């Protein structure tokens, strides 16, 4: 459904060029959820935003359903914008405070020329679909809780009847008890509407729960991609191993038994990323040749791709 | 091992007056902290976990009114006056956001030294700051003391806050969401550092967080708060092994399974509590799937399951009749 090849996005700042996304390649099949994880600044959000051309890519190509959308102009892009929608992390900042919930959900219908007489019915249908009342259509964002606002954001994304949704940290700003509500709803919508998700998050246990496959990013590059269970039970890349060992476990006994493999030092700057394998400066198994190798994802069997040649 | 109580809080109440009405942020909270232990306080936004600590530390300012039956630290009553000299000395705090906790226009060395001067440290102030910065892994300390907060990463700033908090060898560290703004690998580093310091100094810690994984990994005892009240308290094993309050059970069920089994999550339905219009009875009643009629009208008393394990729920009271 979606193929991304060598996607690269640099930002030019006063202090230098930030290598936010540096040659990311991935595929997402119809109906699946690809989880994209990594720590702050690894480029996962920029990847998501560049895929839907909120940022212009510097290199690489984006193929959606057989069409190369990398260099399309805004007019050519419009039908694809309808097919790929996005939901955002912050349900406070991503809704216009001066529009009612109903108007927010209606806006994509106006953009995508849905006949006007259908709007109200569709808004009501969408509100019910995301678990809100139709009477709430006239309320403003500040009258809703964080979880309800995220539901409005999801209804807005669904208003365009997309085939794919890029979910950028959709649950990070929500309380634990509300997160499960939203995750269940995303799973139900995926089943009933046949949606495909790119699920960007840093909560590794929730990503395992929701994803078919998971990609791990470090400093702008994907270091490992595998089926969700395969990645979590058999991580290969030293970064993934360390990352997964750091995830807190809500069980005091299991927590005291496991061994954390700590990462040394700080994440290097994306302005001057290390040469060769970008993880070599912090890798517990680094060898001299790691400074010069090219990071390429290799299939280690079982559709498990890993960028480290030594595992 | 003899348990020595260092902090006792009885029947703490905190109320904020807002333009929309009165908010009862903390409603009758009581607990103790023993020497050397880690007390975890778990709760979601608006549960009153941070307001409880700010009340104890006298940091609410004019916004809040507090009342209590008893509030004592190491056998001495804490008054708004006495807490001032203890704060930053015998009781230290670290917060979620290490950027806003440091002054951006002063060097970090100056800010750390200031903490010692404030508490009239007898001895080599520069040396003590360098020692503590080295202790938390900010090296070379002499050089880095001259730098400003923006020259440090988020994890390093939290290390600086920890260095500042342990300068005066506190008996108790209150850590309010200390790793929430950090990535998991940095979180693991910071929690590990705090663990080492506790081992070396025997310091007690109150760890406030919404992250049940962090609570499970670090706490000896746990308090679960909701809507300004304590729902359940017990040892870490009791809370995670045999959660008894429907809210605690609901929280644990809403997390994905640790073994990766892809079972459907069981969320707690409904919305977070509205503190302006709290229910007359149990604060959790609107979202509880075991609620009874009495839960709407009267607040439940705490039920004792073991010497350490208590929870407040009418369901249990009914069953034990």
């Amino acid at each position: 459904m979606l193929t991304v090849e060598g996607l690269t996005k640099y930002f030019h700042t006063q202090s230098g060029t930030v290598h936010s996304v540096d040659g990311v390649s991935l595929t997402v099949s119809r109906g699946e959820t690809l989880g994209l994880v990594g720590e702050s600044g690894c480029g996962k959000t920029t990847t998501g935003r560049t895929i839907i051309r909120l940022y212009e890519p510097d290199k690489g190509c984006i193929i959606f359903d057989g069409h190369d959308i990398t260099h399309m102009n805004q007019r050519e892009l419009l039908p694809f914008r309808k097919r790929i929608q996005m939901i955002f992390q912050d349900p406070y900042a991503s809704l216009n405070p001066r529009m009612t919930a109903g108007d927010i959900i209606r806006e994509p219908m106006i953009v995508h020329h849905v006949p006007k007489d259908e709007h109200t019915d569709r808004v009501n249908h969408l509100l019910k679909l995301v678990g809100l009342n139709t009477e709430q259509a006239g309320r403003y964002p500040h009258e809703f809780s964080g979880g309800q606002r995220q539901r409005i954001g999801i209804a807005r994304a669904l208003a365009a009847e997309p085939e794919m949704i890029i979910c950028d940290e959709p649950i990070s700003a929500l309380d634990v008890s509300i997160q499960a509500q939203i995750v269940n709803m995303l799973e139900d919508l995926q089943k009933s509407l046949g949606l495909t998700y790119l699920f960007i998050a840093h909560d590794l246990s929730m990503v395992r729960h929701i994803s078919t496959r998971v990609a791990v990013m470090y400093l702008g590059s994907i270091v490992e991609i595998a089926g969700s269970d395969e990645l979590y039970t058999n991580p290969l890349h030293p970064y993934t191993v360390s990352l997964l060992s750091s995830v807190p476990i809500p069980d005091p006994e299991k927590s005291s038994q496991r061994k954390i493999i700590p990462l040394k030092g700080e994440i290097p700057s994306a302005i001057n990323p290390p040469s060769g394998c970008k993880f070599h400066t912090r890798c517990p198994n680094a060898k001299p040749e790691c400074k010069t190798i090219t990071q390429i994802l290799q299939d280690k069997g079982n559709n498990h791709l890993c960028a480290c040649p030594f595992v | 091992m003899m348990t020595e109580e260092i902090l006792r809080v009885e029947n703490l109440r905190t109320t904020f007056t807002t333009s929309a009405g009165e908010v009862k942020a903390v409603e009758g909270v009581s607990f103790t902290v023993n020497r050397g232990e880690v007390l975890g306080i778990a709760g979601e936004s608006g549960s009153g976990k941070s307001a409880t600590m700010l009340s104890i530390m006298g940091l609410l300012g004019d916004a809040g009114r507090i009342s209590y039956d008893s509030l004592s630290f190491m056998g001495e009553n804490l008054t708004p006056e006495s807490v001032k000299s203890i704060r930053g000395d015998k009781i230290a705090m670290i917060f979620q956001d290490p950027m806003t906790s440091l002054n951006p226009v002063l060097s970090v060395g100056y800010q750390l030294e200031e903490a010692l001067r404030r508490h009239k440290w007898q001895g080599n102030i520069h040396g003590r700051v360098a020692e503590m910065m080295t202790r938390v892994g900010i090296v070379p300390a002499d050089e880095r003391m001259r730098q400003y907060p923006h020259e440090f990463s988020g994890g390093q700033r939290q290390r600086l806050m920890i260095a500042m908090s342990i300068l005066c060898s506190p008996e108790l560290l209150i850590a309010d969401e200390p790793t929430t703004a950090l990535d998991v690998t940095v979180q693991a580093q910071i929690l590990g550092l705090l663990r080492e310091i506790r081992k070396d100094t025997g310091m007690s810690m109150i760890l406030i967080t919404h992250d049940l994984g962090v609570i499970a990994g670090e706490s000896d005892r746990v308090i679960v708060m909701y809507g300004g009240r304590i729902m359940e308290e017990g040892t870490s094993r009791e809370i995670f092994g045999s959660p008894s309050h429907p809210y605690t059970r609901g929280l644990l069920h809403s997390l994905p399974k640790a073994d990766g089994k892809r079972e459907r999550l069981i969320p707690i339905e409904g919305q977070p509590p509205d503190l302006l219009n709290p229910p007359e009875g149990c604060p959790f009643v609107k979202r509880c799937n075991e609620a009874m009629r009495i839960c709407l009208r009267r607040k439940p008393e705490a039920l004792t399951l073991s010497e350490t394990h208590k929870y407040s729920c009418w369901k249990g009271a009914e069953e034990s009749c």
Side-chain angles (χ1 to χ4, degrees), chain A residues 279-296:
Chain A
F279 188 58
H280 82 256
T281 54
R282 305 174 77 194
C283 181
N285 318 330
K287 298 175 173 38
E289 52 265 47
C290 293
K291 285 179 194 162
T292 51
I293 56 165
T294 350
Q295 264 181 305
I296 303 168

Side-chain angles (χ1 to χ4, degrees), chain A residues 38-41 44 145-148 151 174-181 183-185 187-188 191 202-206 208-212 228-229 233 239 242-243 246-256 260 262-266 282, chain B residues 43-46 153-156 159 181-189 191 195 210-214 216-219 226 236-237 240-241 247 251-272 287:
Chain A
E39 301 186 280
S40 354
K44 53 191 192 300
S145 68
Q148 289 173 321
R151 290 173 190 265
L174 305 177
D175 273 320
V176 181
S177 67
I178 307 294
Q179 288 187 352
Q181 294 178 1
V183 165
N184 280 355
M185 192 177 77
E187 288 179 334
D188 292 344
K191 264 184 227 137
H202 66 267
D203 179 335
L204 291 143
S205 43
M206 211 49 112
R208 177 179 190 177
H209 173 84
I210 201 169
S211 306
T212 327
S228 182
D229 287 335
T233 50
Y239 175 65
S242 180
L243 184 69
S246 307
V247 179
I249 310 171
D251 179 333
E253 290 184 27
K254 281 195 192 121
S255 181
S256 62
I260 295 176
L263 272 187
K264 279 173 290 189
E266 299 282 324
R282 305 174 77 194
Chain B
E44 302 179 286
S45 357
S153 71
Q156 287 174 330
R159 285 171 188 274
L182 306 174
D183 285 316
V184 282
T185 56
V186 183
Q187 166 168 283
Q189 292 174 350
L191 293 174
R195 219 175 293 136
H210 68 281
D211 189 324
L212 296 163
V214 172
E218 307 301 317
S219 314
Y226 189 85
S236 202
R237 250 163 221 245
F240 288 93
Y247 175 61
L251 269 186
L252 293 172
H253 282 150
S254 60
L255 300 174
K257 300 282 166 295
D259 55 13
K261 276 203 197 107
R262 222 159 284 141
E263 287 165 22
R264 192 176 166 80
L265 303 175
I266 308 165
I268 302 178
E269 296 301 345
Q271 302 303 320
R287 302 176 72 189

Side-chain angles (χ1 to χ4, degrees), chain B residues 20-316:
Chain B
E22 231 174 45
V23 174
K24 290 178 178 161
V26 184
E27 265 206 282
V29 163
S30 305
F31 63 90
T32 59
V33 180
N34 296 324
R35 184 177 294 280
E37 84 170 344
V38 178
L39 175 71
I41 303 188
E44 302 179 286
S45 357
S47 63
K49 54 193 195 305
S50 294
T52 299
M53 286 309 129
L54 294 173
S55 305
I56 294 169
M57 296 294 278
L59 289 173
L60 282 179
D62 299 332
R65 277 176 291 120
I66 66 169
S67 75
Y68 45 80
D69 293 347
S70 149
L71 184 55
S72 64
F73 177 67
M74 297 180 78
E76 312 249 331
N77 281 337
L78 278 186
T79 63
E81 278 311 304
S82 71
V83 77
K84 275 187 198 160
S85 61
I86 290 172
R87 196 166 65 208
D89 186 33
K90 291 292 161 223
I91 308 181
M93 280 189 95
I94 52 175
F95 299 94
Q96 170 171 351
D97 186 349
M99 192 60 202
T100 52
S101 312
L102 289 163
N103 187 330
V105 299
L106 298 173
S107 72
V108 301
Y110 180 85
Q111 295 184 58
L112 267 73
E113 287 174 4
E114 192 180 32
L116 285 173
R117 278 194 287 272
R118 168 78 178 72
H119 293 285
K120 303 189 173 62
W121 174 265
Q122 305 294 318
N124 181 349
I125 287 181
H126 182 90
R128 177 70 180 170
V129 168
E131 182 192 342
M132 288 303 122
M133 279 178 64
T134 310
R135 177 70 194 81
V136 299
I138 305 286
V139 287
D142 277 325
E143 207 171 288
R144 304 223 65 184
M145 277 166 80
R146 289 194 292 274
Q147 294 184 318
Y148 291 84
H150 76 270
E151 296 174 83
F152 295 82
S153 71
Q156 287 174 330
R157 283 183 212 134
Q158 198 56 290
R159 285 171 188 274
L160 285 170
M161 292 313 297
I162 293 172
M164 191 187 281
S165 71
I166 59 173
L167 281 169
C168 298
S169 311
E171 302 286 344
L172 173 66
L173 177 68
I174 299 176
D176 189 355
E177 304 271 7
T179 57
T180 304
L182 306 174
D183 285 316
V184 282
T185 56
V186 183
Q187 166 168 283
Q189 292 174 350
I190 296 291
L191 293 174
L193 173 67
L194 286 170
R195 219 175 293 136
E196 280 171 31
I197 293 170
R198 289 199 306 273
K199 211 171 125 204
D200 294 351
T201 62
M203 170 179 86
S204 311
M205 181 162 99
I206 296 178
L207 176 65
I208 303 169
T209 172
H210 68 281
D211 189 324
L212 296 163
V214 172
I215 289 266
E218 307 301 317
S219 314
D220 301 306
R221 285 192 304 125
V222 179
I223 286 175
V224 181
M225 287 188 71
Y226 189 85
R229 298 173 71 90
I230 294 179
M231 299 281 108
E232 182 163 1
E233 69 173 287
T235 62
S236 202
R237 250 163 221 245
E238 285 165 341
I239 294 291
F240 288 93
S242 48
S244 299
H245 196 284
Y247 175 61
T248 318
R249 286 206 297 265
L251 269 186
L252 293 172
H253 282 150
S254 60
L255 300 174
K257 300 282 166 295
D259 55 13
K261 276 203 197 107
R262 222 159 284 141
E263 287 165 22
R264 192 176 166 80
L265 303 175
I266 308 165
I268 302 178
E269 296 301 345
Q271 302 303 320
D274 177 3
L275 294 174
L276 280 168
N277 302 300
E280 228 175 284
C282 173
F284 187 56
V285 62
K286 284 185 190 154
R287 302 176 72 189
C288 182
N289 49 18
E290 298 173 44
M292 304 177 297
R293 217 172 293 155
I294 189 166
C295 306
L296 275 167
R297 296 194 315 270
R298 286 180 56 200
K299 297 196 191 318
E301 295 295 318
L303 297 163
T304 304
L305 289 172
S306 78
E307 209 176 305
T308 44
H309 195 179
K310 289 184 208 148
Y311 73 113
S312 296
C313 178
W314 284 115
K315 193 81 187 171

Side-chain angles (χ1 to χ4, degrees), chain A residues 221-242:
Chain A
S221 307
I222 291 179
V223 296
E224 189 162 2
I225 307 185
S228 182
D229 287 335
E230 165 75 12
L231 186 93
Y232 282 76
T233 50
N234 182 29
L236 296 177
H237 197 282
Y239 175 65
T240 314
V241 171
S242 180

